[in-house]
Amino acid sequence: MKKIILLFIIGIFLFEGNAQNWQPAGEKIKTQWAEEVDPENPLSEYPRPQLVRDQWQNLNGPWSYALVKRGGSLPQAFEGEILVPFAIESSLSGVQKRVGENEELWYQRTFTVPSEWKNKNIVLNFGAVDWLADVWVNDIKVGTHEGGYAPFCFDITPFLEKGEQKLTVKVWDPTDRGYQPVGKQTNRPRGIWYTPVTGIWQTVWIEPVGKTFITQLKTVPNVDGENVSVLASAKGLIDTDIVEVKVIEDGNVLSTGKAVAKQEVLVDVPEAKLWSPESPFLYDMEVSILRDGKVIEKVESYLGMRKISTKRDESGIVRLQLNNKDYFQFGPLDQGWWPDGLYTAPTDEALLYDIQKTKDFGFNMIRKHVKVEPARWYYHCDREGILVWQDMPNGDDHPEWQTRNFFDGKELERSARSEENYRHEWKEIMDLCYSNPSVVVWVPFNERWGQFKTEEITEWTKNYDPSRLVNPASGGNHYDVGDIIDMHNYPEPVMGLYTSKRANVLGEYGGIGLPIDNHLWETGRNWGYVQYKNSEEATDEYVKYAKMLMKLIPYCYSGAVYTQTTDVESEVNGLMTYDRKVIKLDEERIREVNQEISNFFK
């Protein structure tokens, strides 16, 4: 994607507050990037790379905060300052307080709308807020959003006043004492379960738009047909509006397509340069709305031409394919946690670092494990070239667990409210990643956590996005549905269940533990599936498991996931320490054997 020059307008903080007073809280380990956080302008990059406008104002920075008993009113006085967008439990928030289901977290700040945005509509955007958010502008409630992982926005134009504007947000999050998706968050951190995350944890920003403006793009490449379809959702459309899409290569318009508003636009991409981890080529894209022949809205985006599918090989084994060729997908289980920011990377450079190191290690895939990342993370995956399996964060209760057979037990019966919330949040997550070429597999359930109506959810997921593969239940409970059947086994790779109908993958294995002094979250006992005394021992074991995996590929497996990218809190089974300051295993030896696996079918 060509370099886009953004007009970035730094927000002016008019409330009583001083970013210079901010300091990370607590004494636990931190990454090197914690020292690079700019408290006046944290995470300053444009947060939505696939729908870019050239004017915006970042509202990250110091806000006032208060904790109030659930059901209480707006506090008369705030307790202090919190650095947005870092969750209140994190060090980088400057607060590091636990909340719980009996309290609500209130935020407040002021901002001004730039004068050059006069006569424009103003949209207020949130990258993500965990979990239930109510929003007021100038003491008028403008909306509510339920869901901890996806972006949402409000057109706040009617509620703006002259001069400064007051923005207030209230958040309630019961974490694992509710039914909502929480991933690895728990009110009692231990082992594989981590510190809760409450409140704003992604960028907040405003931007000027016209009365008609694009809210979402769904881009689906068709490699075989040499075209791409683009569906633009927008507010303020009229029936005669035209959506125009331009596909651009190296600054030159390659092709153009048009359609009546609310219809898919089909654009030719002849002799396309295909996207892959080895060659992550991205086309630029411009999407405009035309009314009476005039452009009334335009955004910039990008696309990657790639195809993900399955095909039975000569031996009768169903293989994963990328761009119509057998392709072994191999990568780490990536939790996406940070010792200083918890859910939120300290900087964009930190967010990118884990992806780059994953490629350096010789992997071609990442399984994003029961967590969702900001849009910029998926952009980095698109640009760097790495495949992504995207999990749905788990929530609610758990049924019995069966791993070595097709499930014959009783599934979890969720309440109607819990089911409704699952479907709502899963759809939001899929919408977030719908146009990212790196995302190739949806994983609705992991290890039976919150698993319910598996066949129905699998069918719905596949119908909502037929362009990707669905791995219905990573690690069980297994059903004869979807595109993939996924085994887990620790520590060594084995073949525990096989089907000739679907691609077989080893969704988790490994977990080689190696604690490194002075880089540990917990000073007491740390946790790993198996633990070793030094890097040489751990590396030897890693290589042993990798060679065992290679022997299984001809007979069954088309993909595998090693646990895991980094240590997380008390877990010490990462390839890197939690603070990312030490690569724990021999990188050269890991890369060499990983490349053998990743290139198995080449």
Side-chain angles (χ1 to χ4, degrees), residues 28-296:
K28 288 186 179 290
I29 57 172
K30 297 173 180 60
T31 66
Q32 66 186 39
W33 298 282
E35 299 176 358
E36 300 173 11
V37 172
D38 178 0
E40 294 184 351
N41 189 25
L43 292 172
S44 60
E45 296 79 12
Y46 189 76
R48 194 182 52 206
Q50 284 198 312
L51 203 165
V52 176
R53 294 190 172 93
D54 64 358
Q55 292 184 314
W56 70 295
Q57 179 175 316
N58 194 354
L59 297 185
N60 292 344
W63 295 41
S64 297
Y65 85 92
L67 292 172
V68 174
K69 185 177 179 181
R70 188 182 175 198
S73 300
L74 174 69
Q76 296 300 308
F78 286 84
E79 297 176 30
E81 290 181 356
I82 183 171
L83 190 64
V84 169
F86 300 105
I88 190 171
E89 296 90 348
S90 73
S91 171
L92 293 181
S93 72
V95 181
Q96 204 173 56
K97 288 184 180 179
R98 294 280 289 273
V99 182
E101 78 275 19
N102 295 319
E103 289 184 299
E104 292 168 333
L105 171 59
W106 288 79
Y107 297 84
Q108 194 170 93
R109 66 154 290 164
T110 59
F111 64 93
T112 56
V113 178
S115 58
E116 55 266 42
W117 295 0
K118 186 179 180 181
N119 299 323
K120 290 283 190 176
N121 281 28
I122 306 301
V123 175
L124 171 65
N125 298 277
F126 293 85
V129 181
D130 193 4
W131 171 71
L132 177 64
D134 295 306
V135 180
W136 289 260
V137 173
N138 296 322
D139 298 322
I140 298 172
K141 188 174 181 179
V142 299
T144 297
H145 180 261
E146 184 178 279
Y149 295 97
F152 59 96
C153 66
F154 304 108
D155 185 344
I156 61 173
T157 311
F159 318 111
L160 298 177
E161 299 175 351
K162 289 184 179 180
E164 70 175 30
Q165 317 297 327
K166 182 168 66 174
L167 173 58
T168 307
V169 179
K170 181 184 74 172
V171 180
W172 177 63
D173 180 20
T175 309
D176 57 350
R177 290 173 185 152
Y179 53 74
Q180 84 281 9
V182 294
K184 289 292 191 80
Q185 299 178 61
T186 178
N187 285 290
R188 193 165 64 90
R190 67 207 182 279
I192 65 170
W193 306 101
Y194 316 142
T195 303
V197 172
T198 302
I200 299 170
W201 67 275
Q202 289 186 31
T203 292
V204 185
W205 78 101
I206 57 171
E207 59 187 345
V209 298
K211 296 189 183 303
T212 300
F213 61 97
I214 295 169
T215 57
Q216 184 187 34
L217 299 174
K218 284 188 175 180
T219 304
V220 181
N222 180 356
V223 167
D224 297 332
E226 295 189 309
N227 58 50
V228 61
S229 68
V230 181
L231 179 62
S233 299
K235 292 188 176 180
L237 288 171
I238 62 175
D239 291 343
T240 55
D241 286 343
I242 301 295
V243 176
E244 178 183 69
V245 177
K246 294 179 180 178
V247 174
I248 300 166
E249 180 181 355
D250 299 328
N252 299 311
V253 176
L254 180 67
S255 54
T256 302
K258 295 180 181 180
V260 173
K262 302 180 184 179
Q263 297 296 313
E264 291 183 355
V265 181
L266 196 64
V267 190
D268 291 335
V269 189
E271 299 179 353
K273 295 180 180 178
L274 301 184
W275 183 97
S276 70
E278 295 72 30
S279 179
F281 184 84
L282 298 173
Y283 291 92
D284 292 316
M285 187 167 68
E286 288 183 1
V287 182
S288 303
I289 297 177
L290 310 180
R291 183 172 293 169
D292 299 326
K294 295 181 180 179
V295 175
I296 61 169

Side-chain angles (χ1 to χ4, degrees), residues 279-574:
S279 179
F281 184 84
L282 298 173
Y283 291 92
D284 292 316
M285 187 167 68
E286 288 183 1
V287 182
S288 303
I289 297 177
L290 310 180
R291 183 172 293 169
D292 299 326
K294 295 181 180 179
V295 175
I296 61 169
E297 161 75 326
K298 183 173 75 172
V299 296
E300 295 185 358
S301 187
Y302 67 87
L303 67 98
M305 293 294 292
R306 69 97 183 91
K307 176 184 177 182
I308 185 70
S309 58
T310 61
K311 187 177 181 180
R312 194 177 303 277
D313 68 12
E314 294 177 354
S315 301
I317 298 171
V318 177
R319 296 294 185 187
L320 297 175
Q321 289 202 323
L322 177 66
N323 299 329
N324 294 318
K325 295 179 181 178
D326 291 352
Y327 193 95
F328 193 86
Q329 299 188 25
F330 184 43
L333 194 73
D334 189 325
Q335 311 279 4
W337 284 72
W338 301 85
D340 32 33
L342 299 180
Y343 256 21
T344 310
T347 67
D348 195 60
E349 290 76 15
L351 195 68
L352 174 60
Y353 177 81
D354 281 5
I355 299 167
Q356 290 177 327
K357 287 312 301 178
T358 300
K359 290 210 73 175
D360 289 346
F361 290 142
F363 294 114
N364 59 28
M365 176 265 282
I366 291 170
R367 180 180 169 201
K368 180 51 62 176
H369 190 42
V370 294
K371 190 211 171 189
V372 181
E373 294 290 355
R376 288 195 64 84
W377 187 85
Y378 301 97
Y379 162 65
H380 289 317
C381 290
D382 294 341
R383 188 182 62 180
E384 296 297 316
I386 197 152
L387 305 173
V388 176
W389 295 7
Q390 179 60 56
D391 286 12
M392 169 64 174
N394 54 283
D396 214 308
D397 203 353
H398 313 314
E400 62 178 294
W401 192 18
Q402 299 177 14
T403 62
R404 294 295 193 270
N405 58 280
F406 285 100
F407 187 68
D408 60 5
K410 182 177 175 57
E411 282 206 301
L412 174 67
E413 294 183 9
R414 290 197 182 202
S415 68
R417 185 70 189 87
S418 175
E419 280 197 30
E420 177 188 17
N421 177 259
Y422 176 95
R423 296 170 196 271
H424 163 73
E425 293 206 46
W426 187 217
K427 178 182 178 297
E428 283 192 328
I429 292 165
M430 293 174 70
D431 284 342
L432 170 67
C433 306
Y434 205 100
S435 298
N436 291 101
S438 57
V439 179
V440 293
V441 174
W442 300 120
V443 187
F445 300 111
N446 175 74
E447 292 187 349
R448 72 48 165 115
W449 299 341
Q451 188 170 340
F452 75 106
K453 294 185 178 178
T454 306
E455 294 169 304
E456 182 179 325
I457 295 298
T458 301
E459 182 182 11
W460 182 89
T461 303
K462 190 69 175 178
N463 288 339
Y464 190 71
D465 182 9
S467 72
R468 288 182 173 88
L469 304 180
V470 178
N471 179 0
S474 185
N477 297 326
H478 304 295
Y479 283 79
D480 199 16
V481 294
D483 302 294
I484 293 171
I485 189 164
D486 181 329
M487 279 292 306
H488 290 183
N489 195 78
Y490 287 100
E492 72 278 356
V494 300
M495 183 177 69
L497 179 64
Y498 174 81
T499 177
S500 61
K501 296 180 181 180
R502 290 168 180 81
N504 295 258
V505 304
L506 183 63
E508 293 182 30
Y509 81 98
I512 296 171
L514 178 63
I516 303 293
D517 289 342
N518 302 316
H519 299 276
L520 298 173
W521 176 266
E522 300 287 353
T523 56
R525 171 160 173 75
N526 289 281
W527 187 89
Y529 290 97
V530 287
Q531 292 202 33
Y532 293 87
K533 297 178 181 178
N534 57 56
S535 180
E536 184 178 4
E537 282 186 0
T539 303
D540 287 345
E541 198 71 0
Y542 182 94
V543 172
K544 183 180 83 173
Y545 292 164
K547 291 186 181 298
M548 292 172 66
L549 175 62
M550 275 191 281
K551 290 179 180 179
L552 292 171
I553 295 174
Y555 303 104
C556 58
Y557 283 135
S558 294
V561 177
Y562 175 79
T563 301
Q564 60 189 0
T565 308
T566 70
D567 296 347
V568 184
E569 299 200 353
S570 62
E571 280 193 84
V572 293
N573 49 16

